[in-house]
Amino acid sequence: MSVAAVAGPASPFELTEDQRDLQRTAREFAAERLAPDAVRWDQDKHFPVEVIREAGQLGIGGVYVDERFGGSGLSRFESVLIFEALATGDPSIAAYLSIHNMCAGMIDRFGSDEQRARWLPSLCATERLASYCLTEPEAGSDAAALRTKAVRDGDEYVLTGVKQFISGGGSSDVYVVMARTGEEGAAGISTFVVDGAAEGLSFGANERKMGWNAQPTRQVTFDGVRVGADQRLGAEGIGFKIAMAGLDGGRLSIAACSLGGAQAALDKSLGYVRERSAFGSKIGEFQALRFKLADMATELEAARLLLWRAAWALDVRDPAATRLCAMAKRLATDAGFAVANEALQIHGGYGYLAEYGLEKIVRDLRVHQILEGTNEIMRMIISRGLLEAP
């Protein structure tokens, strides 16, 4: 089945049949179209746009975008089920799809109907791909200190500045850009949708990275890029709010991708310990390994339940949603990396070989503890929410 709107869970712990179908569809796509080539894409630094287009045909290009504009109209709860399933095949491609969806979701939530009709159908179909442009060379965790400027000139804005670590940079067709239109700090930031072919837009070299090699990461430079005032999302000065709203959902998706990658690593480990023998016994009979597997599964299940709780909170606009999203991102990305690393250790020397795919999962999941807000920033968000609560 293709992705389509479905009802919410019957209980916090039980998925509906439709939701299980969503998982199954995404898991089958991951197994058939992502997993077989994941190691090769990583080694060749190949961005499989043709496969991403196939994901769009299943409705995965606009998972939580309004159906009127080509989206699948799903909830954030359903979206995390999909991204976790996709990441079992390749966390790098699943994560790029999550960023693309974050951009589409921002346009859907904050754009006018004219803007939504202009950009969303092609983004949802993945005929065009999107990148999120917030981070700068000197404005990472302190995102409100960004320096890229958008100066009003009649019916246009002129964008000048540099964005750093942009997933999809140079390959995407649409860039959702946060730029300064006013005073210093968060209140002076606005959001723009910039065409990838705009004059004055240029890209740095594809970064050499520890992981996420199957998606390009480049610096994006705006040198007098002109955009129409009708390419601004919302009013001037609310761009930081738009960026942070996007990141709430983005953190859930990255958390889900961590769980999916780690689940794949755990599944590989279960198969390995059933087959591998040492000292006259299957190593799955060794108590130390059994305890390790039990802890790995428990950590993933605990993180998954918190992720579901946070996704539900975002769906119902719970006032605690931002704090819960930060909690879920922190726990799931830490647990996901730890489980993948343990899986590599269980495989011994084989885990260190590229052909087994485990070292790739470890490398891919490591960056999840950094992007969409570092896990140290997540702790700041969580503690601020706790201390400011009535």
Side-chain angles (χ1 to χ4, degrees), residues 75 161 210 250 261 296 352 354:
S75 67
M210 176 180 176
M296 292 160 70
Y352 206 65

Side-chain angles (χ1 to χ4, degrees), residues 9-15 77 305 308-309:
S11 79
F13 309 107
E14 180 183 1
L15 300 182
F77 182 88
L305 289 174
W308 288 10
R309 164 77 173 97

Side-chain angles (χ1 to χ4, degrees), residues 58-290:
L58 289 176
I60 298 174
V63 174
Y64 38 85
V65 169
D66 193 316
E67 291 175 288
R68 290 182 299 149
F69 298 98
S72 296
L74 299 179
S75 67
R76 296 295 178 142
F77 182 88
E78 277 106 20
S79 78
V80 299
L81 302 179
I82 290 168
F83 289 119
E84 179 179 349
L86 289 174
T88 61
D90 188 340
S92 177
I93 298 306
Y96 175 75
L97 279 165
S98 82
I99 294 167
H100 171 87
N101 271 269
M102 178 171 67
C103 294
M106 293 165 67
I107 295 171
D108 187 41
R109 179 173 175 184
F110 294 99
S112 65
D113 280 354
E114 185 278 327
Q115 291 172 324
R116 295 160 84 192
R118 189 194 323 178
W119 290 308
L120 289 176
S122 60
L123 290 176
C124 292
T126 60
E127 293 167 1
R128 292 197 291 176
L129 303 180
S131 289
Y132 178 86
C133 296
L134 176 63
T135 299
E136 298 185 359
E138 297 182 14
S141 294
D142 185 11
L146 64 83
R147 297 181 179 181
T148 296
K149 290 187 176 181
V151 178
R152 188 72 183 249
D153 183 18
D155 292 333
E156 296 180 318
Y157 288 85
V158 181
L159 272 64
T160 305
V162 179
K163 297 295 181 179
Q164 185 74 15
F165 306 130
I166 304 305
S167 292
S171 296
S172 291
D173 308 285
V174 172
Y175 295 84
V176 178
V177 182
M178 274 52 71
R180 188 165 303 286
T181 52
E183 63 192 71
E184 295 298 311
I189 296 171
S190 301
T191 299
F192 300 88
V193 181
V194 180
D195 191 288
E199 185 176 351
L201 186 64
S202 62
F203 308 94
N206 191 6
E207 301 285 2
R208 298 173 64 187
K209 310 187 294 289
M210 176 180 176
W212 270 28
N213 290 318
Q215 55 165 290
T217 302
R218 290 185 173 90
Q219 192 175 78
V220 179
T221 300
F222 301 86
D223 184 9
V225 174
R226 288 186 169 270
V227 299
D230 61 351
Q231 291 173 250
R232 188 191 69 224
L233 291 182
E236 278 196 7
I238 69 165
F240 194 73
K241 172 187 173 183
I242 293 174
M244 294 303 104
L247 283 178
D248 277 345
R251 287 164 183 158
L252 295 179
S253 298
I254 287 299
C257 290
S258 286
L259 294 181
Q263 186 65 55
L266 175 57
D267 292 343
K268 288 176 183 288
S269 298
L270 292 172
Y272 183 77
V273 302
R274 291 187 182 107
E275 299 299 326
R276 178 73 170 175
S277 295
F279 307 106
S281 301
K282 298 294 186 186
I283 63 173
E285 297 298 319
F286 300 162
Q287 188 179 68
L289 277 180
R290 286 184 170 228

